[in-house]
Amino acid sequence: MIVRNLYLQRMKAYIERPEIKIITGTRRSGKTTLIMQMMNELKKDGVNSENIIYMDFESLMYLYLNKTEDFKNLLWSVLESKNGHCYLFLDELKGVDRWALVCREISENFDCDIFAISSTKSVMYEGFDSDLCYCYVNIEIFPLLFSEYLELIKGRTGYQGKNMNELFLEYIRKGSFPAVYSMDDNVIGNYLKDTYSSIILKDVVQFNNLRDISHIDKIMSYIMDHIGEIFSPKMIKDYIKERGLTISVDTIYSILDALIAAGVIFKVQRYDIKTSKTLETQEKYYVCDLNMRSQVTGDFSIGFEQAIENTLYMELMSRGFKVSLGKIGKYIIDFRAEKNQDVTYINCCYKLDSEEKIDEKFTPLLKIRDNYFKMVISMDEATVINKGGIINYPLISFLKQE
């Protein structure tokens, strides 16, 4: 087990502040372990164990507690018996009606920090922000970063003596779900298939009360086969129609929204750099874990550039960037990464090993006339300042940064 300081520091920044802390992330990405680490940090800081309260709403004890009033009465009775500041961790709240309204009332009446944890962003129901009087922060948890993976496998048998490129290939092969690194290779496939099934059943179908679920696997199949490619829901509709089934674009949008909320896929919209507008059609999609994608589809031949692009997207999101797909005229930039009102434009590829590849990756960046930082990230091992002062930066070095 490793300490996930990236997320712990974000959570600590809101300790003893009035905001409700909403922790979301893909099922089995390590949220509960992170919460346990946060609880241990509080104990190290001298907080009495009795004032640290953890409730798992997927456990049998709370499984059928879903009414607003019952939820309020439960929290009220627990906190009434406590002295001093309390830390309340509410895991998998997604089945509780208007949980946010109750959390706001509890925070107004008791001296406490509230952490609401969920494996789907759909827990943030329509109007939840109003119920919280907009006093909340959402911290999204992702599976292991490459730097976290390096820390996790440090000194382990089978990894010693490998260079960084070999370790990166192993990271791509095994994936980024933490649990796979404590398993034998022969059980990882079943674990990832079970994880996928659990996400689809619990966080997509059941939570969203989807009735027609026959199309979900086909939609996921299309997305998994087209990672990093630009397409539209209309193209998914045509793909399904070719297989003898009908589905409306509206239904596709609804299913996509549920899949995105569950963190199994991520949508990257196009951003027109000239007009500074987000475009509503023709987007890219990425998956939460490349090995899960391979195990579910049975296709282990994903292109290396696709794998690099997916990995880099997850890295940027984990670091807190808002990521979009840059468009400048007829040219496309893989990532427009925005954070704290600063922007970085990034193209990525396997290697810049030909003039054609150099032109393909650098020309779009040279078309951008603003002064924000621009770079090409690749598996090349040396940092090179190329055309127009744009840096070609090694992917491994970028991923290892803290």
Side-chain angles (χ1 to χ4, degrees):
M1 184 186 297
I2 60 168
V3 177
R4 305 192 73 183
N5 284 313
L6 176 70
Y7 301 112
L8 283 175
Q9 294 308 314
R10 290 178 189 171
M11 292 165 68
K12 285 181 177 180
Y14 290 94
I15 288 290
E16 297 191 15
R17 286 179 50 171
E19 293 91 349
I20 306 298
K21 277 67 77 173
I22 305 174
I23 314 299
T24 57
T26 316
R27 188 173 290 269
R28 298 183 187 173
S29 60
K31 295 186 303 302
T32 300
T33 299
L34 179 66
I35 292 304
M36 296 304 168
Q37 291 177 353
M38 185 70 226
M39 292 164 65
N40 287 333
E41 290 289 310
L42 292 171
K43 291 174 186 176
K44 288 179 185 177
D45 291 339
V47 177
N48 191 318
S49 295
E50 291 187 0
N51 288 45
I52 302 172
I53 303 153
Y54 174 80
M55 298 179 179
D56 179 4
F57 286 84
E58 282 194 330
S59 69
L60 289 175
M61 184 182 298
Y62 305 114
L63 192 58
Y64 299 102
L65 192 152
N66 52 28
K67 294 182 180 178
T68 307
E69 194 64 26
D70 292 341
F71 180 50
K72 174 186 169 181
N73 291 338
L74 172 66
L75 299 188
W76 201 282
S77 65
V78 168
L79 291 170
E80 262 187 332
S81 62
K82 304 295 181 182
N83 294 315
H85 189 85
C86 290
Y87 301 85
L88 196 56
F89 296 89
L90 310 172
D91 205 351
E92 294 299 355
L93 270 179
K94 56 182 181 289
V96 180
D97 289 339
R98 297 196 71 179
W99 63 267
L101 188 63
V102 173
C103 285
R104 187 187 85 188
E105 185 171 345
I106 291 295
S107 68
E108 290 172 348
N109 285 277
F110 293 93
D111 182 16
C112 63
D113 275 276
I114 298 177
F115 296 81
I117 304 124
S118 176
S119 52
T120 170
K121 282 188 173 181
S122 294
V123 73
M124 296 184 279
Y125 55 85
E126 186 176 352
F128 90 99
D129 45 5
S130 177
D131 281 350
L132 289 175
C133 290
Y134 301 91
C135 188
Y136 71 95
V137 60
N138 178 214
I139 300 171
E140 188 169 6
I141 310 301
F142 297 89
L144 291 176
L145 297 174
F146 181 64
S147 57
E148 293 176 318
Y149 150 80
L150 290 178
E151 184 180 348
L152 183 68
I153 55 92
K154 189 185 299 181
R156 288 192 183 185
T157 303
Y159 293 91
Q160 295 171 330
K162 291 187 176 182
N163 63 39
M164 279 297 157
N165 282 356
E166 290 171 327
L167 290 173
F168 178 69
L169 290 174
E170 186 71 357
Y171 172 69
I172 293 296
R173 183 182 73 83
K174 277 196 170 181
S176 53
F177 279 109
V180 302
Y181 293 96
S182 60
M183 297 177 180
D184 293 332
D185 278 2
N186 60 349
V187 300
I188 289 175
N190 286 335
Y191 170 79
L192 292 174
K193 290 174 187 175
D194 289 346
T195 297
Y196 174 81
S197 297
S198 182
I199 293 170
I200 298 301
L201 178 62
K202 294 182 179 181
D203 301 325
V204 177
V205 176
Q206 290 181 354
F207 181 79
N208 294 280
N209 295 317
L210 296 180
R211 295 180 180 177
D212 185 2
I213 63 173
S214 59
H215 299 303
I216 293 177
D217 284 343
K218 292 180 178 58
I219 291 173
M220 280 300 302
S221 177
Y222 186 90
I223 291 171
M224 289 177 175
D225 285 342
H226 295 81
I227 291 173
E229 298 178 22
I230 298 174
F231 59 85
S232 68
K234 171 66 165 56
M235 295 168 73
I236 299 176
K237 177 183 177 180
D238 293 342
Y239 167 83
I240 292 174
K241 184 177 180 180
E242 288 172 2
R243 280 143 187 83
L245 299 173
T246 59
I247 186 173
S248 70
V249 170
D250 286 344
T251 300
I252 292 174
Y253 273 118
S254 296
I255 293 173
L256 287 173
D257 286 345
L259 291 166
I260 292 165
V264 68
I265 61 170
F266 301 88
K267 179 172 74 173
V268 184
Q269 293 179 286
R270 290 183 303 150
Y271 181 90
D272 192 302
I273 297 167
K274 284 187 176 180
T275 63
S276 299
K277 291 182 178 179
T278 299
L279 305 175
E280 296 299 325
T281 59
Q282 300 289 318
E283 48 262 341
K284 285 188 179 185
Y285 288 82
Y286 299 100
V287 294
C288 65
D289 183 78
L290 289 169
N291 193 18
M292 185 172 73
R293 173 247 174 227
S294 297
Q295 298 293 341
V296 169
T297 63
D299 176 15
F300 294 84
S301 61
I302 185 171
F304 198 49
E305 290 207 351
Q306 284 179 295
I308 288 173
E309 196 173 321
N310 201 103
T311 301
L312 187 53
Y313 171 79
M314 296 298 290
E315 180 79 21
L316 292 169
M317 291 293 289
S318 297
R319 293 189 189 185
F321 285 93
K322 178 182 177 182
V323 181
S324 54
L325 174 68
K327 177 184 178 298
I328 181 86
K330 66 178 183 179
Y331 296 99
I332 294 295
I333 291 89
D334 291 328
F335 302 117
R336 178 187 181 275
E338 183 177 354
K339 186 177 181 181
N340 299 328
Q341 298 183 325
D342 197 12
V343 174
T344 301
Y345 298 104
I346 302 172
N347 267 340
C348 62
C349 64
Y350 173 49
K351 285 195 174 182
L352 293 166
D353 51 6
S354 68
E355 284 300 319
E356 182 182 10
K357 180 61 73 172
I358 290 171
D359 184 63
E360 175 191 336
K361 293 300 175 179
F362 280 86
T363 298
L365 296 172
L366 290 167
K367 296 292 181 182
I368 304 171
R369 298 305 180 190
D370 61 38
N371 295 318
Y372 290 123
F373 191 63
K374 304 168 184 69
M375 64 195 304
V376 175
I377 294 179
S378 69
M379 291 294 291
D380 295 287
E381 296 181 0
T383 300
V384 178
I385 299 176
N386 214 304
K387 292 184 176 182
I390 297 172
I391 291 177
N392 172 207
Y393 197 75
L395 173 69
I396 300 297
S397 298
F398 184 86
L399 297 177
K400 286 175 63 181
Q401 292 177 0
E402 295 183 358

